[in-house]
Amino acid sequence: MLVVRNYLPNFGEGSDNSAMRGRYVDASSMYKRGQSRDYLNGYDREESLVRFLNGKDIGNPSWRHSLPHILVATISSFLFGYHLGVVNETLESISLDLGFSGNTLAEGLVVSTCLGGAFAGSLFSGSIADGIGRRRAFQLCALPMIIGALMSATTKSLWGMLLGRLFVGTGMGLGPPVASLYVAEVSPAFVRGTFGSFTQIATCLGLMGALFIGLPAKEIVGWWRTCFWVSTIPALLLAFSMEFCAESPHWLFKKGRGVEAEGEFEKLLGGLHVKPAMAELSTSDREDEADTVRFSELFYGRHFRVVFIGSTLFALQQLSGINAVFYFSSTVFKSFGIPSDLANICVGVANLLGSLIATILMDKLGRKLLLLGSFSGMAVSLGLQVIAASSLASGTGALYLSMGGMLLLVLTFALGAGPVPSVFLSEIFPGRIRAKAMAVCMAVHWVINFFVGLLFLRLLKQIGAAVLYMIFATFCLIAVFFVKSNVLETKGKSLQEIEIALLPPE
């Protein structure tokens, strides 16, 4: 039986956080599912009292409480970006050193093997995040990144490099969905979009870091090995720092650990906002008496629509061809006679600039408008690329169109199509399926990403740049129509409000 102390919180001078949020004492079975109804009813009564005494709005919690936890989580996104870009400047040196220079299939495998590993990692990310918690999942994703980086740094053969990239990929596949879950679940609603876009900024910084560190690779023999060694430092920092971060209150509550969830909400939101947060959380989880969800449940019935929206959005993001720019920009620019180091620095700056603008606009303009503008801008950018690659332009004109089109493509991608999908999907999935649904959508992401990375150079040679970029532009236009028809605005809404709006009754 639950015993509630401080049932009427004291809001006079000298009241402390524990008095405001109350303490729930119990016995060994407290917060178990068998007693959840009493617990939820108690929180409903207290929430009513809080609202009665404070008015309907007690204000937004300070974003400063949750920011340090978000910043640690984004280290996983930094690593994600770093390992995506680490082979861009170094691929030529790696191929010469390991004896597969000129073999486009082998070069494609070095890029895409980690994407295959990421597919496998993403498939298990939901079960891992639900099983051991968000914090431990971050620490687990750091382990294969450390092992894989060390294998790549010390290998003497192509097969050793591929095995190392496969290990790194499993960590890359686990990190992004867990980061999206964690950021959505620990961020205050009014800055959730902004905090969510921090993961994209961290990814950009990782890409730029890989490009800058890779610059001496052409002059210094074996420098590419240093590039892999360096990546172990942020991976170790992630594993260590996450030990001091808050666990997701949503996950704790789902596991029947309500007392701990209260304590984490206090760290993340401040004492005054603990009771409203717990009451809202309990409302959304009233019917969630089962702790497990089968993957099959995601593909039929009431959950199918949100999973379909999420999977399609990630598929269209990858079919826009954006990652071909990040993987092979050095090779593409080289064909136009542009120094690869200068081109890649420009790509990195455009990506970072777009991500910073998206951070400012995410909670002002909203997710849907950013997606529409981003995919439309990418279609225009790819149109410039088509013109540059066709007979309509030649010489200096083709050079400027190609360079400008590619930089505009990266900039418009970073404004919406890059950061928004992971933020949006972590918002629209109900708590019961959130981890596994994100895993499914990320698996779709990695499958398409794998084939883009594997086949881009070959298709570029066989069908030409104009046709290939036209295909990518078509997918961007399809994305515009899809977003307009299927994406609902979520800015400023709590996860529970979004769930009620999107999920049909059983």
Side-chain angles (χ1 to χ4, degrees):
M1 182 72 182
L2 293 175
V3 180
V4 182
R5 269 196 297 127
N6 298 322
Y7 190 76
L8 275 171
N10 175 18
F11 289 95
E13 287 187 34
S15 62
D16 59 14
N17 287 341
S18 62
M20 287 184 189
R21 65 189 174 93
R23 292 293 179 193
Y24 292 81
V25 210
D26 137 59
S28 57
S29 60
M30 184 165 118
Y31 288 105
K32 299 263 169 138
R33 290 293 179 185
Q35 298 188 10
S36 62
R37 189 172 301 279
D38 291 335
Y39 169 74
L40 302 180
N41 290 339
Y43 253 117
D44 280 346
R45 290 193 296 271
E46 292 190 49
E47 170 66 358
S48 298
L49 286 167
V50 170
R51 288 187 180 276
F52 176 75
L53 292 171
N54 293 274
K56 285 193 173 182
D57 187 4
I58 59 174
N60 290 321
S62 173
W63 50 267
R64 292 180 178 85
H65 293 297
S66 52
L67 180 61
H69 308 272
I70 300 294
L71 293 179
V72 172
T74 58
I75 296 175
S76 66
S77 300
F78 177 88
L79 284 163
F80 171 76
Y82 187 93
H83 284 293
L84 281 181
V86 71
V87 296
N88 197 322
E89 277 292 329
T90 60
L91 186 57
E92 184 179 338
S93 301
I94 294 170
S95 63
L96 287 170
D97 237 6
L98 301 183
F100 58 90
S101 181
N103 186 337
T104 57
L105 182 60
E107 291 174 353
L109 282 171
V110 170
V111 172
S112 57
T113 297
C114 77
L115 307 181
F119 169 72
S122 67
L123 280 180
F124 293 102
S125 63
S127 300
I128 291 171
D130 275 345
I132 64 176
R134 305 342 184 197
R135 290 171 59 239
R136 298 300 178 213
F138 277 120
Q139 292 174 320
L140 186 62
C141 90
L143 182 62
M145 287 192 177
I146 295 169
I147 296 172
L150 293 176
M151 292 176 67
S152 296
T154 57
T155 187
K156 302 294 184 184
S157 68
L158 171 63
W159 291 109
M161 172 60 69
L162 295 181
L163 187 59
R165 294 287 284 167
L166 186 66
F167 266 87
V168 164
T170 59
M172 290 171 64
L174 179 56
V178 176
S180 297
L181 286 173
Y182 187 77
V183 172
E185 292 175 349
V186 305
S187 301
F190 76 104
V191 290
R192 191 173 55 242
T194 299
F195 280 0
S197 63
F198 283 4
T199 60
Q200 178 66 16
I201 292 175
T203 301
C204 295
L205 292 174
L207 282 164
M208 290 183 69
L211 292 175
F212 278 112
I213 291 175
L215 288 178
K218 293 182 175 64
E219 287 76 35
I220 302 176
V221 177
W223 180 259
W224 62 268
R225 297 184 186 274
T226 303
C227 298
F228 286 101
W229 279 108
V230 167
S231 68
T232 62
I233 298 172
L236 288 167
L237 181 62
L238 173 65
F240 175 77
S241 300
M242 194 48 71
E243 193 64 32
F244 305 98
C245 289
E247 181 55 89
S248 164
H250 291 250
W251 180 78
L252 290 169
F253 187 84
K254 184 180 177 182
K255 291 296 182 181
R257 295 158 61 180
V259 173
E260 295 174 61
E262 275 192 89
E264 300 301 73
F265 265 136
E266 186 169 354
K267 291 180 189 175
L268 296 165
L269 305 177
L272 182 62
H273 295 269
V274 172
K275 279 187 178 180
M278 289 296 290
E280 193 167 33
L281 181 59
S282 65
T283 300
S284 70
D285 281 354
R286 283 184 188 280
E287 306 302 326
D288 183 19
E289 299 296 328
D291 284 334
T292 58
V293 57
R294 296 186 300 272
F295 274 108
S296 59
E297 292 181 53
L298 306 179
F299 302 106
Y300 64 83
R302 64 202 299 255
H303 298 308
F304 173 75
R305 180 171 178 250
V306 288
V307 175
F308 171 74
I309 291 172
S311 300
T312 305
L313 202 54
F314 264 134
L316 291 169
Q317 179 200 61
Q318 294 307 303
L319 289 170
S320 70
I322 185 63
N323 276 327
V325 175
F326 294 130
Y327 299 151
F328 301 110
S329 59
S330 296
T331 304
V332 173
F333 282 126
K334 188 177 178 181
S335 67
F336 283 99
I338 302 171
S340 62
D341 52 355
L342 174 63
N344 286 331
I345 289 171
C346 291
V347 166
V349 170
N351 195 16
L352 181 60
L353 178 62
S355 300
L356 290 172
I357 296 172
T359 300
I360 298 170
L361 299 179
M362 186 80 74
D363 287 310
K364 295 183 183 297
L365 299 182
R367 290 44 157 168
K368 185 171 185 175
L369 188 58
L370 285 182
L371 281 174
L372 289 171
S374 178
F375 279 118
S376 299
M378 291 173 73
V380 172
S381 306
L382 287 161
L384 296 178
Q385 293 281 70
V386 171
I387 295 172
S390 67
S391 57
L392 297 176
S394 59
T396 306
L399 177 66
Y400 286 131
L401 276 175
S402 177
M403 186 74 173
M406 190 164 287
L407 294 179
L408 184 61
L409 177 70
V410 173
L411 178 66
T412 52
F413 169 81
L415 285 173
V420 172
S422 59
V423 174
F424 177 71
L425 299 193
S426 64
E427 294 175 325
I428 67 172
F429 293 139
R432 181 169 178 263
I433 68 164
R434 188 173 292 131
K436 288 186 172 65
M438 282 297 296
V440 169
C441 293
M442 287 303 298
V444 171
H445 168 282
W446 287 117
V447 167
I448 298 176
N449 201 338
F450 173 83
F451 285 108
V452 169
L454 182 65
L455 300 175
F456 176 76
L457 288 179
R458 182 152 291 193
L459 288 173
L460 193 63
K461 286 185 176 181
Q462 291 183 350
I463 66 176
V467 176
L468 185 56
Y469 290 138
M470 192 177 296
I471 293 171
F472 290 151
T474 302
F475 280 115
C476 288
L477 292 175
I478 293 172
V480 171
F481 289 107
F482 179 81
V483 169
K484 192 171 183 180
S485 304
N486 295 279
V487 172
L488 300 177
E489 188 51 67
T490 59
K491 71 169 182 175
K493 295 182 175 64
S494 71
L495 297 179
Q496 289 70 38
E497 289 174 324
I498 297 167
E499 180 174 337
I500 292 169
L502 278 175
L503 201 63
E506 288 185 292

